[in-house]
Amino acid sequence: MIGRILGKRYEITEKIAQGGMSTVYKALDLNLNRYDAVKILKEEFAQNPEILERFKQEANAVAFLSHPNIVNIYNVGSEGNIHYIVMEYVKGQTLKEIIRSKGMLPNEEILNYSYQISRALESAHNSNIIHRDIKPHNIIITRDNLVKVTDFGIAKHSDSATITNSGKIIGSAHYFSPEQARGNMTDRRSDIYSLGIVMYEMATGTVPFDAESPITIALMHMQEPLPSPKLKNPQLSDGLERIILRATAKNPIDRYQRIEDMMMDLRTLMAGERLVGEVNPNNGSTQIMGAVVPESKKMKNDIYDDERPSSSKKRGLIIGLAMILVVVVGALIGNAVFKGMNNNNPPIVAEDEVAVPNLVGKTQEQAEAELKALGLELEVTSTETSDKPEGEVLRTVPEANTKVKKGASVGVVLSGGLEKLLVPDVTGSTKEAAEITLMNNGFILGGVSDEYNDTIPAGEVIRQDPMVNTSMPKGSPISIVISKGPEVTLSAVPGLIGKTEREAQALLESRNLVLDPVINKVPTGDEALNGRVSAQNIPEGTEIKQGSSVIITVYEYKTVQIPFNLVGKKASEVMALINAANLKGVYIAGTESSDIVVEVSPSSGTLVPYGSTVEILGEPEQIGPQTPANP
């Protein structure tokens, strides 16, 4: 499969994962020049019309989902016997890998991951899509701690530890709900149960129920109480344990009915607030359920199939309806007696009863004072996100004008303000990457400033405001500071010529410049110039970056010995020898270069300062015998 191009567009480059019914490859999108993930249905299942149809239908349904916490599906295609789904390629670790490496996760990490998974389920549930296979293996955590939920399509069939029925797989045994185990209809609350099990595993490092047989695990989900996660992890907060227990209630009625309700409690804990109200007494209690029945008539694969009620259930339903009817009739009769048969008579109100005042729009303190004046107690039952100021009363239970006995408690629902999320960490990212991360986590990019930094590379985020994991209203702007790299400050190079080496170094340091340790030397015959700067590689007045080095050249006093055996040689030859000795030869008394040297001054072998002048005296060369002078 490596190297093959699907749909004339997706070039398979490497295999990255394999499940029970599909294989996932990394592929290069030749049109967009980006890497995608391509999930290919295994060939042995491509001939099964039912699996193939479900594969296509579910893939197309999930393709409509677009959410930062869901792995996006880009395309669905077929080529011969190859059926594939093209999806977003996400770099990161699965939550299962993280749990295996870390064990128990800290409370803040559990809250962060759980809330992001909930956001993904919220998007799916609002589109009438039930995942049915929420488990750590299907949750990817990126380097930026962004959660990506995957395998909304056929991946729910891909775990080996599953309950099967005539080849039809209905879920992963360690994480599915009791109703899935019984083969009953599954709904959104089944996903909530699975998320609760995932949270349990994050909190304890282990699944609550484990056995060699998937059937045994299913029975444990149906019949055994959930072990207390706090007994395994004493560091787990009480609030998190309550959320886990409520999410994993055996009876779907006792669970969170909507993922939004669970998200509200998660946000409350993320904001550092305490959950109010009592834990549902049914949560986590033992419920003896019927064993898993593997016959196909008991086990339905379609999540939308309703379970037909048995005869015993029908009898129970009839009895329940009759009891409800009795209660309703009794209530009507009691109400008539209470009001009296004559409508002109005012209602009879017991002296120890008062009407609940209208507290909507008031602060908690104002509401508490007003109730106290009437002999009533205030009880905060919950908080909800709203556009009202935080702490303002949204509604009361019972409602205003309802008669209650003095001393009774009146429940109030307070505004928690706008929905609050945890600010992600964008430090070390580029501005563009930071903006995408903020958007994916429900925030917007606020003010952008820059400053010099000696350690953070230019273009990367140095810090952010608010800081990471701060609880902020959804949509809040997050300001960032971008590094401009090390600050470039210029200094003018001072004039160094004529200065001693030490004076030159002091002048450079006064301007935050550096004297290069490599110092050139130039000889001089002037002893007064010895050790003084003769040249600098950067001219005086030139502006350079502070910290830069300047190279100087200094004089070094030297003496030179006048060459020997110069007398008797041609003047031109002597001149060359003197110049080669770094001395300066000069002809005197009309000496020509062709003359024969009769004298040099100073004389040969004398030590003289470097570059000293040596006088050369020569006479014309005599040709033939000389005639003596007359006496």
Side-chain angles (χ1 to χ4, degrees):
M1 188 61 69
I2 305 299
R4 181 162 185 172
I5 298 177
L6 297 178
K8 298 180 180 180
R9 177 172 179 177
Y10 305 104
E11 181 181 0
I12 306 298
T13 59
E14 63 178 289
K15 179 180 176 181
I16 55 179
Q18 181 166 323
M21 298 186 69
S22 63
T23 305
V24 182
Y25 296 91
K26 182 180 178 181
L28 177 64
D29 186 331
L30 300 176
N31 289 357
L32 300 178
N33 194 30
R34 74 177 180 197
Y35 283 106
D36 296 332
V38 177
K39 179 179 291 185
I40 300 178
L41 187 65
K42 287 186 177 179
E43 187 174 352
E44 58 264 34
F45 299 108
Q47 307 302 323
N48 187 317
E50 182 178 353
I51 292 178
L52 184 58
E53 183 61 27
R54 181 178 296 277
F55 170 57
K56 293 180 179 180
Q57 288 180 355
E58 293 182 352
N60 286 324
V62 178
F64 287 102
L65 294 178
S66 178
H67 192 274
N69 294 120
I70 294 177
V71 174
N72 293 311
I73 288 183
Y74 299 137
N75 203 350
V76 179
S78 298
E79 192 170 293
N81 288 329
I82 298 176
H83 305 278
Y84 60 90
I85 301 173
V86 182
M87 59 185 65
E88 176 184 5
Y89 175 63
V90 181
K91 290 183 179 180
Q93 290 182 292
T94 67
L95 183 55
K96 188 69 175 180
E97 292 171 334
I98 292 175
I99 294 172
R100 282 171 179 164
S101 63
K102 290 186 177 182
M104 302 175 187
L105 302 187
N107 291 330
E108 295 75 14
E109 207 165 340
I110 299 172
L111 283 170
N112 182 18
Y113 294 158
S114 301
Y115 186 74
Q116 293 190 63
I117 299 168
S118 299
R119 291 185 67 204
L121 291 178
E122 178 189 31
S123 176
H125 291 176
N126 289 339
S127 298
N128 295 319
I129 295 174
I130 303 167
H131 193 290
R132 290 200 301 167
D133 199 18
I134 290 293
K135 57 183 179 181
H137 315 67
N138 293 339
I139 298 162
I140 302 174
I141 311 297
T142 70
R143 189 190 70 168
D144 297 326
N145 269 344
L146 179 65
V147 168
K148 290 281 189 176
V149 177
T150 187
D151 287 350
F152 277 83
I154 64 167
K156 64 176 175 288
H157 303 295
S158 63
D159 193 275
S160 59
T162 54
I163 296 296
T164 63
N165 175 46
S166 303
K168 298 179 181 180
I169 305 172
I170 64 171
S172 300
H174 286 100
Y175 304 94
F176 62 21
S177 62
E179 57 268 25
Q180 282 177 286
R182 292 194 302 270
N184 290 353
M185 181 186 73
T186 56
D187 58 19
R188 303 173 184 185
R189 295 171 296 182
S190 298
D191 281 348
I192 292 173
Y193 182 94
S194 298
L195 175 53
I197 299 297
V198 171
M199 291 178 66
Y200 184 99
E201 187 173 359
M202 285 193 283
T204 65
T206 60
V207 291
F209 305 120
D210 196 14
E212 293 183 1
S213 165
I215 299 293
T216 304
I217 298 173
L219 287 170
M220 295 169 77
H221 275 290
M222 290 188 294
Q223 298 176 352
E224 294 189 12
L226 192 81
S228 170
K230 200 169 176 63
L231 288 179
K232 292 187 176 182
N233 178 9
Q235 301 302 318
L236 185 68
S237 70
D238 293 337
L240 265 174
E241 183 180 49
R242 289 174 56 183
I243 291 176
I244 293 171
L245 293 177
R246 183 174 178 188
T248 55
K250 303 295 183 187
N251 191 334
I253 296 176
D254 296 328
R255 293 177 210 151
Y256 291 101
Q257 298 302 291
R258 304 180 311 146
I259 193 65
E260 290 85 352
D261 299 330
M262 186 173 179
M263 291 170 66
M264 186 183 303
D265 280 355
L266 289 170
R267 283 197 302 269
T268 300
L269 296 184
M270 292 164 77
E273 299 174 4
R274 184 177 59 86
L275 294 181
V276 295
E278 295 297 326
V279 181
N280 190 318
N282 293 325
N283 288 351
S285 60
T286 303
Q287 283 188 301
I288 305 301
M289 302 180 179
V292 174
V293 181
E295 289 82 3
S296 59
K297 65 180 179 178
K298 295 289 185 182
M299 207 87 155
K300 301 186 179 181
N301 187 50
D302 194 332
I303 63 173
Y304 301 106
D305 284 346
D306 293 325
E307 183 188 43
R308 295 184 179 182
S310 62
S311 299
S312 60
K313 290 183 178 178
K314 289 180 180 179
R315 287 195 298 272
L317 182 62
I318 294 172
I319 294 171
L321 290 174
M323 292 176 66
I324 292 173
L325 181 61
V326 171
V327 172
V328 171
V329 171
L332 292 174
I333 295 172
N335 187 51
V337 172
F338 180 80
K339 290 186 175 180
M341 300 303 296
N342 189 346
N343 289 335
N344 294 327
N345 293 334
I348 300 173
V349 181
E351 292 182 359
D352 60 347
E353 288 187 345
V354 292
V356 175
N358 185 8
L359 304 176
V360 175
K362 298 182 179 179
T363 66
Q364 180 179 349
E365 293 74 16
Q366 292 171 336
E368 191 168 15
E370 193 166 337
L371 290 175
K372 188 174 182 180
L374 295 173
L376 302 174
E377 298 290 334
L378 181 141
E379 179 184 355
V380 179
T381 58
S382 65
T383 59
E384 293 182 3
T385 56
S386 74
D387 56 357
K388 302 298 181 183
E390 190 171 350
E392 183 176 300
V393 176
L394 299 178
R395 59 182 178 273
T396 60
V397 180
E399 296 179 347
N401 298 322
T402 303
K403 304 296 182 181
V404 297
K405 290 185 177 182
K406 286 186 178 181
S409 294
V410 176
V412 297
V413 177
L414 298 178
S415 170
L418 297 175
E419 179 182 355
K420 291 185 177 180
L421 306 173
L422 290 180
V423 176
D425 185 3
V426 296
T427 55
S429 305
T430 63
K431 175 187 172 184
E432 294 74 17
E435 187 169 12
I436 293 172
T437 300
L438 291 172
M439 180 185 67
N440 288 341
N441 284 271
F443 297 98
I444 63 173
L445 182 62
V448 179
S449 58
D450 52 29
E451 65 180 43
Y452 294 106
N453 191 284
D454 294 333
T455 58
I456 307 298
E460 292 188 4
V461 177
I462 303 172
R463 60 182 179 274
Q464 61 188 78
D465 184 29
M467 296 177 64
V468 61
N469 287 332
T470 302
S471 179
M472 294 291 293
K474 183 178 181 180
S476 296
I478 309 299
S479 299
I480 60 175
V481 179
I482 304 289
S483 171
K484 296 186 347 184
E487 183 175 6
V488 179
T489 306
L490 303 179
S491 288
V493 177
L496 305 177
I497 296 175
K499 308 295 183 183
T500 66
E501 182 180 331
R502 181 169 294 182
E503 288 171 342
Q505 183 176 8
L507 277 171
L508 290 171
E509 288 178 353
S510 69
R511 303 191 184 189
N512 291 320
L513 299 175
V514 178
L515 177 64
D516 196 288
V518 177
I519 298 176
N520 300 321
K521 299 291 182 67
V522 60
T524 180
D526 187 350
E527 196 169 0
L529 293 177
N530 186 46
R532 294 190 176 271
V533 177
S534 66
Q536 57 191 80
N537 71 320
I538 302 175
E540 178 183 357
T542 304
E543 289 192 337
I544 61 174
K545 177 183 175 183
Q546 288 188 0
S548 301
S549 60
V550 178
I551 301 174
I552 62 172
T553 302
V554 299
Y555 288 112
E556 183 179 29
Y557 177 73
K558 283 188 176 183
T559 58
V560 179
Q561 189 175 44
I562 297 175
F564 291 93
N565 303 320
L566 298 179
V567 175
K569 298 181 184 293
K570 277 190 175 183
S572 60
E573 185 180 352
V574 171
M575 178 66 77
L577 289 172
I578 289 173
N579 289 341
N582 293 312
L583 298 172
K584 183 179 179 182
V586 295
Y587 295 133
I588 61 172
T591 300
E592 300 290 339
S593 61
S594 58
D595 292 349
I596 299 299
V597 175
V598 296
E599 184 182 355
V600 292
S601 181
S603 60
S604 294
T606 304
L607 285 173
V608 296
Y610 180 94
S612 295
T613 299
V614 178
E615 295 177 340
I616 304 171
L617 177 62
E619 293 180 351
E621 182 179 3
Q622 299 293 328
I623 301 175
Q626 296 183 1
T627 301
N630 293 325

